[in-house]
Amino acid sequence: MNHFRSYEDAAVAAYAARLRAISSPLVGEPRAWQQCELQARRIFADCAESIALGRTTVTDSQIAEVVDLGAIRVRQSIHLTHSVRAGVILFDTVLEYLLKSIEDAGEDDSERVDGYTVAVRALQQGIGRRLEVGSIAYDSFMLGRVREVHEQGHRKLAREIHDQVGNSLSLAMRQLELYEVELGRQGGDVPPTVRAAQAAILETLARTRELVTELRRPSVSGCLEEAINQFVASMGDSVAPVRVWVRGLDEWIPQPVSEELFIMVRECLRNAFRHAEAGNIVVHIDIAPHEIQTEIIDDGLGFDTARTRAGDRANGLTGLQERADLVDGTLHIDSARGRGTHVTIWIPIKEGHGVR
């Protein structure tokens, strides 16, 4: 299977042809296709590298481009559903050439199974991660537009989001359901990425409903977002660009919990500024009445979490875990050398919730 990479151009050409067959705007607009092709080649390269290394490898360092794609799609008048459909088509296309390389190879059965397994995992994770980040960016960009036009017609925009985005997402879900039924008739298994795409659409539908609800509610100033932006500004122009997105209402968070969350985000940013040498940093905070989900992502140097046992970074990570424990939350740090860092913080919101 070491010749799998030789199929890259053929796979990309087949991917483009299949998008044309469904009249996808992603291949009809030159700039949109250029972006799609770039991501497709990166996913293909991850699969090839996973086969070569014998373990699943997904490059997550180009997050700035993926994050920006959500906003770019809105400006291009291309709905998120087209990206979901393209993800399903790309999965099937790369999988087809992966199976072809297995058939053409002369390895024994164990080598074939191992190579197939790590490549499929890389394929699934690569597409799933891009859909996840793209949907967050799409949603956040739409929320930003909502804030800008709040006083000039937010109720009209709420109707448009409900009718256009909601209907498009429902159509995409229906297409995936029909795809699943057709696979069943042919005796095939539903690819994991289809399940992931269905889950992503359902989540986006839920977030769209939340967005419409927020449009019909009086605006509340984002104190947490403002505090984070002020901290970033205080660090000067020498630090990496930071994108901060906060969804939901600050009033849902008890003040002690809000203070602890701000300190944790600030510590993550400090670590990124000091150690990561990142080109871009993203902070995404999703506030719901019952929980807070926070992600801090950078495309920097990364580090080996298992070997970080001493020094400022180790002390900082220990402090983060202690603060997460104080608010009954969870902390997860995903990082590797050369592949950036992804910190996830989850905090439940309970009645009378404070800091222990």
Side-chain angles (χ1 to χ4, degrees):
M1 293 180 63
N2 58 1
H3 60 291
F4 171 69
R5 189 65 184 265
S6 65
Y7 292 113
E8 181 177 337
D9 290 339
V12 171
Y15 177 43
R18 290 171 183 179
L19 289 178
R20 290 192 197 95
I22 63 170
S23 301
S24 172
L26 292 173
V27 73
E29 206 281 323
R31 285 185 59 198
W33 168 243
Q34 184 180 25
Q35 295 151 356
C36 282
E37 181 182 3
L38 175 63
Q39 298 306 321
R41 289 187 182 279
R42 285 180 174 161
I43 289 170
F44 200 98
D46 282 343
C47 293
E49 185 176 357
S50 296
I51 294 171
L53 296 177
R55 56 181 173 80
T56 299
T57 301
V58 177
T59 303
D60 198 24
S61 59
Q62 303 293 334
I63 60 170
E65 294 178 9
V66 179
V67 167
D68 288 342
L69 281 180
I72 291 172
R73 292 287 181 263
V74 178
R75 297 189 186 99
Q76 294 171 334
S77 299
I78 298 175
H79 287 288
L80 178 65
T81 50
H82 294 294
S83 296
V84 175
R85 291 170 184 165
V88 174
I89 291 172
L90 179 60
F91 183 95
D92 287 342
T93 303
V94 176
L95 186 62
E96 175 183 315
Y97 281 90
L98 176 61
L99 293 173
K100 180 177 175 59
S101 69
I102 292 174
E103 292 172 358
D104 294 345
E107 291 96 339
D108 60 33
D109 289 342
S110 63
E111 289 177 321
R112 291 183 181 185
V113 171
D114 291 343
Y116 175 83
T117 300
V118 297
V120 169
R121 285 176 180 167
L123 178 60
Q124 178 187 355
Q125 292 176 21
I127 293 176
R129 181 62 181 145
R130 284 166 172 80
L131 284 175
E132 177 188 358
V133 173
S135 66
I136 290 173
Y138 186 97
D139 184 56
S140 297
F141 185 86
M142 291 297 290
L143 183 58
R145 290 185 60 186
V146 167
R147 288 172 175 170
E148 293 174 4
V149 302
H150 180 73
E151 299 298 331
Q152 291 81 28
H154 58 285
R155 290 190 180 275
K156 177 182 178 181
L157 183 57
R159 290 194 298 271
E160 291 177 351
I161 292 174
H162 177 271
D163 295 341
Q164 297 182 21
V165 178
N167 288 341
S168 295
L169 290 173
S170 298
L171 175 61
M173 177 60 75
R174 180 57 179 163
Q175 292 293 327
L176 289 177
E177 290 172 349
L178 292 174
Y179 176 74
E180 182 178 348
V181 170
E182 184 62 26
L183 277 179
R185 289 174 179 171
Q186 297 176 6
D189 294 327
V190 179
T193 189
V194 174
R195 301 294 189 196
Q198 289 173 327
I201 291 176
L202 289 174
E203 180 181 0
T204 305
L205 278 170
R207 291 189 175 188
T208 300
R209 295 189 189 100
E210 293 172 9
L211 180 59
V212 171
T213 300
E214 289 175 15
L215 278 169
R216 292 167 177 160
R217 182 186 295 119
S219 63
V220 177
S221 59
C223 299
L224 184 59
E225 183 174 4
E226 181 180 350
I228 295 171
N229 281 322
Q230 287 179 350
F231 166 71
V232 173
S234 70
M235 300 300 292
D237 297 332
S238 61
V239 299
V242 180
R243 293 175 175 85
V244 180
W245 293 327
V246 178
R247 274 182 41 86
L249 303 177
D250 284 80
E251 64 187 23
W252 289 339
I253 312 177
Q255 187 60 32
V257 176
S258 181
E259 292 173 358
E260 291 296 325
L261 177 58
F262 170 72
I263 292 172
M264 284 189 280
V265 172
R266 184 179 64 188
E267 181 61 30
C268 290
L269 289 174
R270 280 178 173 165
N271 280 337
F273 295 153
R274 291 174 183 172
H275 306 292
E277 297 183 19
N280 296 275
I281 303 172
V282 173
V283 177
H284 175 247
I285 302 176
D286 198 341
I287 306 169
H290 62 288
E291 65 178 0
I292 313 163
Q293 185 77 19
T294 302
E295 294 181 290
I296 304 98
I297 311 169
D298 72 66
D299 61 356
L301 299 176
F303 63 99
D304 187 341
T305 56
R307 295 185 178 182
T308 303
R309 303 181 183 278
D312 292 341
R313 175 178 275 171
N315 292 333
L317 298 183
T318 300
L320 281 174
Q321 185 60 64
E322 291 174 349
R323 290 187 181 278
D325 293 339
L326 287 174
V327 292
D328 297 324
T330 61
L331 171 73
H332 178 70
I333 301 174
D334 182 14
S335 185
R337 293 189 181 279
R339 300 193 177 276
T341 300
H342 185 170
V343 179
T344 304
I345 303 169
W346 175 81
I347 300 174
I349 297 178
K350 307 173 185 176
E351 187 174 352
H353 196 165
V355 178
R356 292 190 285 112

